[in-house]
Amino acid sequence: MPKTIQRWTRSHEFWLLAVVVVLSMFLTAATDSFLTLQNLFDLLTSTSFAGILAAGLLVVLVFGGIDISFTAIASVAQYVALTIAKTYPIGWFGVFFVACCTGILCGLFNAAIIHKVRISSVIVTISTLNIFFGLLIYITRGDYITSLPSYFREGIWWFEFSDSNGFPYAINFQALLLVVAFFMTWVLLNKTNIGRQIYAMGGNEIAAERLGFHVFGLRCLVYGYMGFMAAIASISQAQLAQSVTPTTLIGKELEVLAAVILGGASLTGGNGSVFGAVLGVMLIAILQNGLILLGVSSYWNQFFVGCVILLAVSATALSQRRRHA
């Protein structure tokens, strides 16, 4: 067996892929509806929000930081962009432009506080989560936006076709954004000099500083990128929900964080891959979907997701300890 394949079979991604395949085979055998085109399309569409956020969070974790405020950033970006869109004819470009500018500004605010005050990123972003969300609720009074522009309600449907039962399928807005988000993150981390610097910073920040890396600039880029991805995810979610609710995105932080860590990203930085993050998102989405199809009460979702994360993280830690022994 070639050494490349031997090395890959010992990787975290290989074993995670094996778990995804085994779980999918079990659900296919146990239910009639898991391996159907309709369920797979629904799974892809509903996973878009968490997947896009995972792409942004992966970059932050590889850098050696953490961001808990991304759901509040997404809520603010979504509300600002679609409030303007229902008042002025700004079109798709305007919606994305306003949302992304809002998200990036919030991310840069996080980066500036973390860098200047020199306190833990988890404390800063938990604080800014509450600040961003508190301001949003105070200003909007928690009002919903249900009247959206017609072009936004219709979304994007490419290569549309129907099955024998008349159910329509297509490459929709959510799937398109999900693929673009992971591709952009892959290019950033693997094909640019900045990506190599982000890995170096996560592996050893002090050494990276001594080598002359512009730490503040990199921090602004990483947290700005997280804000950018939060904005993209928020537009995807609003188009799917056909409305904007200020409170609906809050509470998804741990699910996204769990998916990225499950994919092999380290909380201490320097490790993580886009393929691993994709597999982490897939595993949690398939697990939650499978529990529903098996008729398990939704109250058990968090329990099973927590167990899977604990097992995966424990297996990774044991594997790394054995490798370094």
Side-chain angles (χ1 to χ4, degrees), residues 197 201 205-215 218:
Q197 292 185 35
M201 279 289 298
E205 181 173 342
I206 295 173
E209 275 185 300
R210 287 176 180 167
L211 285 171
F213 289 179
H214 195 296
V215 177
L218 282 174

Side-chain angles (χ1 to χ4, degrees), residues 26 31 35 53 57 69 81 91 97 100 110 155 164 166 169 260 267 274 281 297:
F26 168 74
T31 69
L35 198 62
L53 289 173
L57 187 59
S69 67
F97 181 76
C100 291
N110 279 337
S164 56
Y169 304 100
V260 182
L267 286 172
V274 170
V281 171
S297 167

